[in-house]
Amino acid sequence: MQRYTKLIGVGAVLFPLLTGCALAGPTSNAAKSNSTPPAKPAVAKKAGQALPYGATKASSILPGDVLIADSSNNRILLVTPGKKIVWQYPAPGQKSGLVDDDDVFFGPKFDEIITNEENNNALAIINFKSRKIVWQYGHPGVAGSAPGYLNTPDDAFLYNKGGKNVITVADIRNQRILFINRKTKSIIKQYGQTGVQRVNPPITYGAPNGDFPAPNGGMLVTQINGNDAIRLNKNGKILWTVHFPSQFSYPSDANFTPHGNVIVAFYTNPGAIVKMSPSGKVLWSYSPTSGPGELNHPSLVTELPNGMVLLNDDYHDRVIVINPKTNKIVWQYGHTGVPGTAPGYLHIPDGVDFLPAGITPGGNNPIGHHLWSYPGNGY
């Protein structure tokens, strides 16, 4: 996600860009798979129970599939609890139209996927069935702040509001949150002042890198410089702010748990996770500094409906599930610290989304059932 080093300056905190590939481990020699995963595996059922898409059995640990932004491989994978790839972009053997797909989220009806290409300064929407890019925004490879330009975009979401598609994105280096009309590509509204990096919400923001949906049209904004998460209403007014513990830094992509608390990853090495109540009470934290559970720049963590915690551990080249009751890793996709392209390998996975059991992506699904679905938020 946000690949920066914090430098303390006079009156501001600056974030010079690092190159993700330069920080990656050695390239794996594992060969690409020549087999094409099924494009439309049936939703299996067992004793009347809907199973994860493409899966043959249920999982108490991971009750759905995981959508993975495999950023340094410029691809997107959909993986079952049994670690089988059941969909990918691009199709095997095809050239990717993405560069550094930083996050990936399903659209309202699970028929599209939206991604922000952070270091490519662009957004893209992919049709699940055709695996074609059907919409783009920004000037790939060119940072800017004028209309149509982005500078280090993060966490792009696709909404359906009143029958109209609206995209939100945290435009980090431009210090703003944008609301974009999909059809016209015009900016509908903006939070923050372009180019003004100052922790003074809701007027200005300090490197905002998260803009997760909240109930009733609201939003949860993460500020890197503020080390906090700010709950806004639909008009951009502050309802409350959660200040994260001072021993942690660089909060990344704070979002809501199913019970309305806030969970966030800290993009550091060693990395950390903290869950807090809206009133600021720490409910759970995870920050091992050695051993197999140690994290290396995790950038997005979310709590699943069963209470398990799903996250991408970027520079360990893996996506994992942690049981918060035991603080143990109970599921992993990817080989720790070994990047690669073959099935079972990742290279700096930079984002995840969750596909609930019973949903067939690309089909005629009702709006909702996302981890980010709340009353009135456009889903």
Side-chain angles (χ1 to χ4, degrees):
M1 268 184 193
Q2 310 77 25
R3 297 164 193 154
Y4 308 96
T5 299
K6 185 176 287 187
L7 299 179
I8 306 300
V10 179
V13 180
L14 305 177
F15 296 88
L17 185 64
L18 300 179
T19 301
C21 292
L23 294 181
T27 301
S28 169
N29 291 323
K32 290 184 180 180
S33 170
N34 291 322
S35 62
T36 301
K40 300 178 182 179
V43 178
K45 293 180 181 293
K46 184 177 182 180
Q49 177 189 14
L51 298 183
Y53 177 75
T56 57
K57 61 181 180 179
S59 168
S60 60
I61 294 172
L62 190 56
D65 299 315
V66 180
L67 190 69
I68 302 172
D70 192 13
S71 68
S72 286
N73 282 327
N74 300 321
R75 66 181 184 180
I76 301 170
L77 303 178
L78 185 63
V79 176
T80 69
K83 304 179 185 179
K84 176 184 177 183
I85 298 172
V86 291
W87 182 91
Q88 67 184 69
Y89 173 87
Q94 299 298 309
K95 183 179 179 180
S96 178
L98 302 176
V99 176
D100 187 36
D101 47 310
D102 173 72
D103 287 296
V104 286
F105 299 113
F106 280 108
K109 294 185 177 181
F110 295 97
D111 56 344
E112 294 181 316
I113 295 167
I114 186 166
T115 183
N116 53 285
E117 302 168 82
E118 183 177 8
N119 292 327
N120 198 36
N121 301 302
L123 309 179
I125 296 175
I126 299 166
N127 180 279
F128 187 89
K129 281 187 174 181
S130 68
R131 306 190 209 200
K132 302 291 186 182
I133 293 176
V134 295
W135 184 89
Q136 292 177 292
Y137 184 90
H139 294 252
V142 181
S145 59
Y149 285 82
L150 299 166
N151 192 344
T152 322
D154 203 0
D155 291 347
F157 288 93
L158 175 60
Y159 292 81
N160 186 305
K161 288 200 175 281
K164 296 181 180 179
N165 286 164
V166 175
I167 289 95
T168 66
V169 63
D171 193 15
I172 304 176
R173 288 179 179 270
N174 282 327
Q175 313 300 326
R176 62 190 183 182
I177 306 291
L178 297 180
F179 294 71
I180 303 167
N181 182 305
R182 177 175 178 174
K183 183 177 180 180
T184 65
K185 295 189 177 181
S186 60
I187 296 174
I188 301 169
K189 67 177 178 178
Q190 172 179 322
Y191 294 160
Q193 295 180 8
T194 302
V196 180
Q197 182 178 242
R198 186 178 301 123
V199 180
N200 185 30
I203 300 171
T204 57
Y205 290 88
N209 71 349
D211 59 321
F212 274 73
N216 302 312
M219 180 179 287
L220 189 67
V221 175
T222 310
Q223 290 188 116
I224 301 173
N225 289 4
N227 200 31
D228 58 20
I230 304 155
R231 169 70 161 93
L232 304 176
N233 67 11
K234 65 180 180 180
N235 298 314
K237 305 299 182 183
I238 297 175
L239 298 180
W240 44 260
T241 300
V242 168
H243 297 279
F244 300 123
S246 59
Q247 67 264 37
F248 302 121
S249 62
Y250 209 125
S252 180
D253 303 351
N255 58 91
F256 288 105
T257 71
H259 296 97
N261 296 307
V262 174
I263 193 165
V264 64
F266 292 90
Y267 190 72
T268 53
N269 184 25
I273 304 167
V274 170
K275 181 169 75 170
M276 300 181 69
S277 69
S279 63
K281 180 181 179 181
V282 175
L283 304 174
W284 176 71
S285 65
Y286 178 89
S287 56
T289 56
S290 63
E294 181 183 356
L295 305 175
N296 187 351
H297 291 84
S299 60
L300 193 154
V301 58
T302 189
E303 185 176 295
L304 300 174
N306 63 357
M308 298 291 178
V309 174
L310 170 70
L311 68 143
N312 44 278
D313 189 15
D314 296 27
Y315 286 106
H316 274 156
D317 302 299
R318 63 182 182 176
V319 170
I320 60 177
V321 174
I322 297 171
N323 184 337
K325 293 182 179 179
T326 63
N327 279 357
K328 300 295 184 182
I329 295 174
V330 292
W331 187 90
Q332 175 170 324
Y333 187 87
H335 294 254
T336 306
V338 183
T341 59
Y345 286 82
L346 300 168
H347 190 183
I348 312 184
D350 228 341
V352 292
D353 198 2
F354 178 70
L355 180 67
I359 298 293
T360 300
N364 186 23
N365 298 299
I367 292 176
H369 306 291
H370 305 69
L371 286 177
W372 341 109
S373 295
Y374 303 104
N377 76 349
Y379 283 167

